């Protein structure tokens, strides 16, 4: 009886020490959850989640202050990933805000641009170049397709156009799942 | 080496004998792993004579026939071009110029469907031959002596790897002499049906050796090996015979050898042929030239010889036209730009060509989305195989046939599992990028799973994901940078304001004789910022303790407070007009200062008060609000534009041009919006920007 | 009808059905030997098993809403039931084979997702199920004709299987197998050599049925090796390991441990070596993995035979090694060409 007590007490002490040691030894700095979420967010910085950028949304999620289904460009996939990371129930995406089927980029109609710099201020990633009263243009490579510049344009000269595939950017499609092999 | 040569025949005979009992014994005949033995059907096209000098009705020349950057047309629609004339080139990156295959007129420069698996159109130059075949005079180049000269020659002749990859050949050639030990001539041609390299070796063996000689001399290569599969005995013979045509000098400098190799698919792969001939594995993270091996296709070398000795650019190539659906398959020296359909029709198809033709062989070829695509520099075969019933794919039974067949010794079956479940990081870990897409795994799969397509998809998905990740990372960095910049600008502004305030205070202090009173005023003003409760406690606490010394100060303080209060009230109503009512200039200044302070305070309040809450609701409503407003404005603008346009169209009353009109309307809308925004302004940032836009207007 | 989307556009005409049929054909010599030595019981069992297979597979495919024709005609179920039929005694009651087949197909195959998805060998799962559930019925083997002196006719077998009633005067027809006898003797403290010497199976005048059935399996297996239906690693690893274990222990203590030949040609060794452990779905896919898998089974079989409570341990050895397959697949990946090491 006494031996059993001693043995288990000793075991408890040893494991307690081990756990304590592990906590110090393997301590994770910072807020890994926010980083993790930030990594899977599409980084369009579009603000459609109601936060001024992807990072603030990730932080809010990490603190449990926000819903998991707010990232519109990320869509269903990102929502699932977020709910996995935050261990929360997945929620259906808002049907009215669907991500575009193809990647879009903003294009400025340069004949109409009046050089008001509004879009430059709105662009979260500085992908629009230009100066006051000078024509602006979008750096296509850096445009995230967030559409933030579209509403601020006073002359409505910014259009979102889909990026069409060329033979160089074309991807092999996945083999069509035939009737015999059902996708899991 | 000699011992090996002597031993080989016996071993070969033994295995050949064993092969009758056990077919897979053939796998012991070569040095790489796996490989398959498809039905070759090579005699279909090989038994017919070579077709030369065929000029089709229309030549379609895509501006991109190689890996790298597309060229830009140098001709215009309507131009007459001569044979060998350079019609497209660019200096923007890795590319190879394109030359007119015959004389004729440029009828169009427009997108046409390319011989590419995507079936997407790309820019093409269309030439209608005039039948005269009038050539531009050629200037034979000197035999290049340096790698640079060779590179220039090869580039200007527009030569790309003609085995199928289409990598511009000049880019493959090293810059220095002596770093290549082995030049391997790839005459393996392991794909079923294709015999164009076989025919080329039979007809142009001299040119191939001459090309090899040129490359070997300019790069200082000591050994040239030509690997030919042993089912092409005539080609082996022709190549051996043509060896004597080389000068004795070059024979002394370089050893030229013909090596028959086992007939197995994919013997013609770069890694496979290198391993077979040199027993050397090219490390997966290195290029072949880094281990001293340069491999060139027979057709590429023949083209180099023609470019060097006659100055001819690459305008035609040997193409096999074959397949089970053709009555008279043949090989032809085809002008680049000839359509697949025209070639297949010449081979008298058994049934109408309603099925897609295949570019290349049945193992690695690509089926065309349109049969009217042109022959390009990498097209080695036009294959017309009527489609057979495709067996539906069964589930993988893990039999391991694919793994036994893989020439790279990958694990196709595990790659497939992970590709199918989209675990692309694992697919990458299993070295999917070492896959040469030879098709051996799909060929042997008893479940008929389209394995190669899974890998192709996985590869392009991995590339896409990596690109997207890089783009996201860039966007993140840029966004963070922008945030930091805005913050910095705001801080700078605050600092500037503070500095100004301090300067003003100092000035005031210098002017006033009663320094203590001024300081007291300032302090009082600061105290006014605090809550009323704080004020009262402050008063009750400070006054008794400092009573004896600071009565004057107290008075001044009280006065200041009163004034500040007054100023505040005034400021609330209309600061500028009310301040005029005060009599002295000093008072006026003070009031202005107080008003400014008060404004600053309220600003601060809104800022500090709002920003923590901003997180969810405020930002949401704000941005929504913004959006809403913007949308309204935009709608208005567009409506105006529309209405004006319709007016113009309907009644012609408006004399202004439509674009001007639209612009004007837009400007108006902008102004309106700016004003509206000014009214609603809350944060200083917006004020500024709007003011800026005001001044712009 | 169209070409496949991506190359290759040709195929070597192999198919799942072809592979499975090859295995089925290779089992015929053994079937013949079985009939010769043990009577027609096995044909009845086989017929029962095939009927059960068709019914169960049809029902499950319908339940799972999958196409029936391609998944029945792939013949994978046939291989499973054939494996079970050879494992159970030919004169065991009909419900033994039926329950074994049902268990194998339902729990061994379809619950995991059907063809290609089962982690365990379905045949061995079914056999292990009846072995544990009905040990008495499954361990009582029909004695070879040479020993019992009677060749059971088809009707007699049918009577035994379906009614459980032995024809009058034929009660001595079933008994323990040589392996069983050996194990019983060892438990009782007798030595292997003594047992073997006094055994009724050790009569040179009588033909030992199990031995020849094993030889027939060997012949079929060699043909499968030649036609590349199976890989050499399986029989080589399994038989090699079993022989080595037997040789070592026989050399140490010939009294307790039976000789190599006894182990190699008794029980279901050859059946396992060429027909059971070669099931590709539940075994490792890398060459080295296959070899380790087969060696593991060989060692386990020897261990179970000598120190376990079951006379033959093939079913349990296979199921145990099935558990190791993912691990083997992970750690025995071959070196990719152009890479130094994985």
């Amino acid at each position: 009886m006494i031996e059993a007590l001693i043995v288990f007490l000793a075991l408890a002490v040893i494991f307690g020490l081990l756990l304590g040691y592990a906590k110090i030894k393997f301590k994770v700095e910072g807020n890994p959850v926010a980083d993790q979420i930030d990594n899977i967010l599409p980084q369009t910085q579009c603000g459609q989640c109601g936060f001024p950028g992807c990072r603030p949304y990730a932080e809010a999620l990490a603190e449990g202050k926000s819903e998991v289904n707010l990232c519109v460009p990320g869509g269903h996939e990102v929502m699932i990933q977020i709910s996995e990371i935050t261990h929360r129930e997945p929620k259906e995406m808002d049907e009215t805000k669907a991500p575009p089927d193809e990647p879009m980029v903003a294009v400025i109609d340069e004949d109409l641009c009046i050089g008001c710099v509004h879009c430059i201020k709105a662009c979260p990633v500085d992908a629009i170049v230009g100066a006051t009263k000078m024509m602006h243009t979008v750096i296509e490579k850096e445009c995230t397709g967030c559409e933030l510049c579209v509403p601020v344009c006073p002359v409505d000269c910014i259009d979102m156009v889909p990026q069409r595939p060329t033979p160089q950017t074309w991807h092999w499609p996945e083999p069509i799942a035939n009737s015999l092999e059902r996708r899991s | 080496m000699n011992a090996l040569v002597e031993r080989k025949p016996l071993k070969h005979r033994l295995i050949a004998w064993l092969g009758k009992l056990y077919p897979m014994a053939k796998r012991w005949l070569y040095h790489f792993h796996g490989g398959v033995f498809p039905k070759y059907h090579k005699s279909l096209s090989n038994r017919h004579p070579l077709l030369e000098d065929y000029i089709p009705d229309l030549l379609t020349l895509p501006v991109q026939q190689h890996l790298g950057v597309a060229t830009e047309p140098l001709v215009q629609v309507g131009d007459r071009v001569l044979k060998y004339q350079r019609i497209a080139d660019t200096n923007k990156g890795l590319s190879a110029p394109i030359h007119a295959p015959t004389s004729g007129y440029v009828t169009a420069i427009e997108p046409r469907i390319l011989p590419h698996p995507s079936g997407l159109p790309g820019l093409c130059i269309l030439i209608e031959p005039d039948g005269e075949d009038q050539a531009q005079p050629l200037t034979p180049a000197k035999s290049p002596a340096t790698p640079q000269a060779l590179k220039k020659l090869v580039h200007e002749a527009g030569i790309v790897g003609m085995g199928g990859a289409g990598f511009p050949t000049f880019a493959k050639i090293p810059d220095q002499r002596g770093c290549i030990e082995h030049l391997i001539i790839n005459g393996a041609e392991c794909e079923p049906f294709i015999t164009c390299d076989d025919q080329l070796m039979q007809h142009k063996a001299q040119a191939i050796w001459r090309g090899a000689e040129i490359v070997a001399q300019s790069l200082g290569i000591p050994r040239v090996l030509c690997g030919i599969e042993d089912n092409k005995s005539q080609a082996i013979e022709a190549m051996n015979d043509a060896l004597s045509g080389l000068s004795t000098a070059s024979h002394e400098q370089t050893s030229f050898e013909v090596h028959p190799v086992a007939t197995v698919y994919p013997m013609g792969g770069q890694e496979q042929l290198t391993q077979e001939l040199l027993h050397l594995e090219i490390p997966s993270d290195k290029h072949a030239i880094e281990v001293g091996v340069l491999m060139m296709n027979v057709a590429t070398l023949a083209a180099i010889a023609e470019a060097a000795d006659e100055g001819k650019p690459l305008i035609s190539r040997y193409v096999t036209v074959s397949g089970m659906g053709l009555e008279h398959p043949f090989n032809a020296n085809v002008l680049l730009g000839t359509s697949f359909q025209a070639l297949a029709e010449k081979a008298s198809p058994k049934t109408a060509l309603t099925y897609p033709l295949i570019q290349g062989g049945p193992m690695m070829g690509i089926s065309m989305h349109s049969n009217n695509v042109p022959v390009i520099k990498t097209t080695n075969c036009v294959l017309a195989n009527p489609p057979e019933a495709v067996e539906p794919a069964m589930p993988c039974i893990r039999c391991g046939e694919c793994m036994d067949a893989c020439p790279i010794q990958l694990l196709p079956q595990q790659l497939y599992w992970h590709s199918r479940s989209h675990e692309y990081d694992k697919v990458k870990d299993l070295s999917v990028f070492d896959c040469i897409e030879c098709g051996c795994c799909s060929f042997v799969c008893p479940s008929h799973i389209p394995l190669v397509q899974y890998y192709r998809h996985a590869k392009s998905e991995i590339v896409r994901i990596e690109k997207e990740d890089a783009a996201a990372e860039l966007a993140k960095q840029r966004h963070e940078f922008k945030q930091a910049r805005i913050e910095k600008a705001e801080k700078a502004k605050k600092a500037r304001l503070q500095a100004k305030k301090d300067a003003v205070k100092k000035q005031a202090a210098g002017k006033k004789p009663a320094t203590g009173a001024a300081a007291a005023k300032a302090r009082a003003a600061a105290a006014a910022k605090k809550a009323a409760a704080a004020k009262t406690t402050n008063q009750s606490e400070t006054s008794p303790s400092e009573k004896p010394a600071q009565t004057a100060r107290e008075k001044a303080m009280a006065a200041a407070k009163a004034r500040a209060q007054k100023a505040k009230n005034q400021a609330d109503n209309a600061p500028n007009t009310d301040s005029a009512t005060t009599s002295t200039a000093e008072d006026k200044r003070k009031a202005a200062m107080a008003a400014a302070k008060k404004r600053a305070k309220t600003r601060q309040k809104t800022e500090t008060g709002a920003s923590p809450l901003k997180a969810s609701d405020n930002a949401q409503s704000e941005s929504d609000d913004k959006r809403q407003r913007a949308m309204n404005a935009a709608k208005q603008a567009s409506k105006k534009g529309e209405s004006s346009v319709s007016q113009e169209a309907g009644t012609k009353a408006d004399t202004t041009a439509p674009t001007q009109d639209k612009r004007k309307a837009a400007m108006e809308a902008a102004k309106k919006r700016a004003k509206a925004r000014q009214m609603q302004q809350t944060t200083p940032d917006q004020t500024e920007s709007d003011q800026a836009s005001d001044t712009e207007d | 009808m169209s070409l496949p989307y991506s190359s290759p556009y040709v195929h070597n005409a192999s198919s799942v059905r072809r592979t499975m049929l090859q295995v089925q054909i290779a089992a015929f010599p053994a079937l013949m030997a079985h009939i010769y030595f043990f009577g027609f019981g096995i044909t009845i069992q086989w017929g029962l098993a095939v009927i059960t297979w068709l019914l169960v597979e049809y029902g499950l495919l319908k339940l799972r809403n999958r196409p029936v024709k391609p998944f029945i005609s792939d013949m994978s179920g046939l291989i499973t039931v054939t494996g079970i039929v050879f494992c159970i005694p030919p004169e065991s009651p009909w419900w033994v084979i039926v329950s074994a087949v049902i268990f194998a197909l339902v729990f061994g195959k379809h619950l995991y997702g059907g063809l290609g998805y089962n982690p365990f060998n379905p045949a061995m799962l079914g056999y292990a199920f009846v072995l544990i559930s009905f040990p008495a019925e499954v361990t009582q083997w029909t004695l070879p004709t040479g020993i019992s002196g009677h060749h059971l006719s088809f009707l007699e077998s049918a009577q035994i299987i379906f009614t459980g009633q032995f024809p009058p005067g034929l009660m001595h027809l079933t008994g323990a197998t040589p392996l069983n006898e050996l194990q019983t003797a060892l438990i009782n403290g007798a030595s292997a050599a003594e047992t073997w010497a006094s055994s009724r199976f050790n009569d040179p005048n009588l033909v030992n049925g199990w031995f020849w059935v094993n030889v027939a399996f060997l012949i079929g297996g060699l043909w499968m090796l030649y036609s590349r239906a199976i890989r050499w690693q399986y029989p080589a690893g399994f038989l090699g390991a079993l022989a080595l274990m037997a040789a070592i222990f026989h050399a140490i203590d010939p009294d307790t441990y039976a000789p190599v030949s006894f182990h190699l040609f008794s029980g279901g060794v050859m059946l396992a070596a060429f027909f059971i452990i070669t099931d590709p779905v539940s075994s490792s896919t890398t060459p080295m993995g296959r070899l380790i898998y087969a060696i593991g089974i060989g060692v386990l079989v020897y261990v179970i035979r000598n120190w376990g409570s079951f006379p033959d341990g093939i079913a349990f050895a296979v199921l145990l090694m099935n558990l190791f397959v993912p691990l083997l697949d992970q750690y025995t990946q071959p070196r990719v060409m152009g890479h130094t090491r994985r």
Side-chain angles (χ1 to χ4, degrees), chain B residues 276-583:
Chain B
E276 182 62 25
L277 291 179
L278 302 173
H279 309 287
L280 184 76
E281 268 183 41
I282 302 168
S284 108
D285 54 348
K286 280 186 177 161
H287 290 295
I289 59 165
E290 287 175 77
V291 290
V293 177
L294 181 64
M295 183 176 291
M296 285 189 176
N297 182 265
V298 283
T300 314
L301 284 170
I304 291 175
E306 284 183 356
D309 293 343
E310 300 167 52
K312 271 190 197 167
L314 182 63
I315 56 154
S316 68
R317 64 159 298 145
Y318 276 44
V319 176
T320 302
V321 182
S322 186
M324 306 310 273
L326 300 178
E327 202 73 60
H328 299 291
F330 61 91
N331 276 285
N333 192 7
V334 175
L335 297 182
L336 299 179
T338 309
S339 99
F340 279 27
Q341 180 89 29
L343 285 173
E345 294 291 351
K346 274 191 95 66
S348 41
K350 289 173 187 166
T351 55
L353 291 170
T354 48
Y355 49 88
L357 294 172
I358 295 168
Q359 168 181 287
M363 293 298 285
M364 283 185 82
I366 42 179
S367 78
M368 294 292 108
H369 289 249
S370 154
N371 285 347
N372 236 334
V373 291
V375 167
I376 59 170
K377 290 173 183 175
T378 54
T379 309
N380 49 8
C381 180
V382 173
L383 194 65
N385 273 349
E388 290 160 22
V390 180
E391 287 232 9
M394 297 283 287
C396 170
I397 55 165
R398 294 164 49 98
C399 66
E401 279 288 347
C402 50
M403 198 201 58
D404 287 345
C406 182
I408 312 287
Q409 212 164 357
L410 293 166
L411 294 167
Q413 180 249 117
Q414 295 197 14
L415 283 172
Y416 156 70
W417 283 113
H418 293 308
S419 305
R420 216 171 79 98
S421 43
H422 297 187
E423 295 161 338
Y424 294 120
D425 44 341
K426 281 187 186 146
V427 180
K428 208 181 159 192
D429 284 347
L430 287 166
S431 330
V432 74
F433 283 98
D434 285 293
C435 170
I436 57 170
E437 299 175 14
C438 63
C440 289
C441 47
S442 301
F443 178 77
V444 298
C445 180
S447 292
H448 293 263
I449 300 168
L451 293 164
V452 176
Q453 197 184 344
Y454 274 104
Y455 310 147
R456 283 176 168 159
H457 171 71
K459 279 183 188 177
S460 53
E461 258 325 82
I462 292 169
V463 170
R464 188 185 63 80
I465 288 167
E466 278 174 0
K467 257 191 202 158
E468 254 173 30
D469 282 354
E473 190 50 40
L474 181 77
K476 195 170 152 187
Q477 273 171 15
R478 289 182 76 90
H479 182 64
E480 275 163 11
F481 179 75
K482 181 171 176 160
Q483 296 294 93
R485 197 187 63 216
I486 290 170
E487 216 166 87
K488 212 172 143 191
E490 228 152 70
K491 257 185 201 160
K493 211 166 77 193
K494 253 184 207 162
R496 221 167 44 229
L497 270 173
Q498 192 62 46
K500 247 183 204 171
K501 232 190 262 172
D502 288 351
V504 167
K505 261 183 217 162
K506 239 179 218 170
Q507 235 181 1
K511 264 185 197 169
K512 291 294 283 183
T515 330
K521 264 176 227 157
R523 240 173 273 153
K529 276 183 196 170
K530 290 175 187 167
K535 254 188 252 168
T536 51
T537 52
N538 190 20
Q539 238 174 0
S540 61
E541 267 175 32
T542 48
S543 41
S545 57
E546 292 175 21
K547 219 173 190 176
Q550 307 241 337
T551 43
R553 196 185 150 183
E554 222 175 19
K555 257 185 213 164
M557 231 160 88
K561 256 181 223 159
R563 248 179 276 139
Q565 193 58 44
K566 201 177 166 190
K568 216 191 257 175
N569 291 341
Q570 284 165 353
D572 278 344
N573 298 328
N576 289 331
T577 47
D578 272 22
S579 61
T581 55
T582 45
S583 51

Side-chain angles (χ1 to χ4, degrees), chain B residues 84-248:
Chain B
Y84 305 131
Q85 184 183 333
R86 184 181 299 195
I87 54 170
D89 199 0
T90 186
N91 52 7
K92 281 190 183 154
L94 190 64
S95 77
I98 290 155
H99 303 80
T102 185
S103 64
Y105 293 92
V106 177
T107 55
I109 299 177
E110 59 186 27
R112 287 291 168 104
I113 291 180
L114 298 178
H116 187 270
S118 64
L120 289 169
L123 195 65
C124 293
I125 301 172
L126 276 72
I127 296 174
E128 206 177 281
D130 55 13
E132 289 170 33
D133 207 21
Q134 191 185 348
Q136 186 175 283
L138 295 171
T139 44
K142 265 193 298 177
S143 186
T146 62
Q148 280 71 27
L150 178 68
K151 282 178 94 139
K152 189 162 175 281
L153 174 91
V154 167
H155 180 235
E156 289 191 344
I159 296 171
V160 304
M162 288 161 82
F167 194 71
T169 303
F170 78 93
K172 216 165 114 171
I173 298 169
D175 287 316
Q176 268 138 25
R177 268 178 81 87
C179 60
I180 300 290
E181 285 166 43
H182 308 279
L183 171 66
I184 297 180
I185 304 175
N186 191 341
E189 196 167 55
C190 53
E191 274 261 16
F193 289 100
I194 306 181
T195 52
C196 66
D197 285 354
D198 185 7
Q199 289 287 320
L200 189 82
M201 286 188 279
Q202 290 180 35
H203 285 85
K204 289 192 180 173
Q206 295 275 3
I208 296 165
W209 283 125
R210 173 70 188 128
E213 188 186 14
I214 291 165
V215 174
Q217 278 174 355
S218 55
L219 295 176
I221 300 171
R223 189 166 173 221
V224 176
L225 302 92
C226 181
I228 306 173
E229 278 192 352
D230 53 15
N231 62 350
K232 290 181 259 297
S233 48
Q234 282 174 301
I236 295 170
E237 211 173 296
M239 288 297 279
N240 267 325
D241 290 349
L243 259 182
S244 55
L246 294 173
S247 67
T248 39

Side-chain angles (χ1 to χ4, degrees), chain C residues 249-263:
Chain C
F249 282 98
H250 187 67
I252 293 170
D253 187 358
D255 281 351
T256 319
Y257 301 106
V260 175
S261 59
F262 174 79
H263 273 295

Side-chain angles (χ1 to χ4, degrees), chain B residues 594-614:
Chain B
K597 261 176 215 156
K598 183 237 142 202
R599 243 182 276 142
K601 198 175 119 191
T602 48
R603 211 182 269 171
Q604 218 169 24
K605 227 185 222 165
T606 51
E607 257 177 32
T608 52
S611 54
L613 284 171
K614 222 179 193 175

Side-chain angles (χ1 to χ4, degrees), chain B residues 21 281 284 362 404 434 445, chain C residues 9 11 226 231 283 335 338-339:
Chain B
L21 290 175
E281 268 183 41
S284 108
D404 287 345
D434 285 293
C445 180
Chain C
Y9 303 103
H11 198 272
Y226 165 76
R231 297 295 187 284
S283 70
R335 183 184 68 91
H339 286 259

Side-chain angles (χ1 to χ4, degrees), chain B residues 640-658 660-662 664-665:
Chain B
K640 259 184 201 169
E642 251 175 47
S643 64
S644 59
V645 167
S646 63
Q647 250 179 24
E648 201 234 343
T651 58
K652 299 247 173 194
D654 210 331
T655 47
T656 45
Q660 254 182 337
D661 198 11
K662 198 174 169 192
K664 217 170 157 186

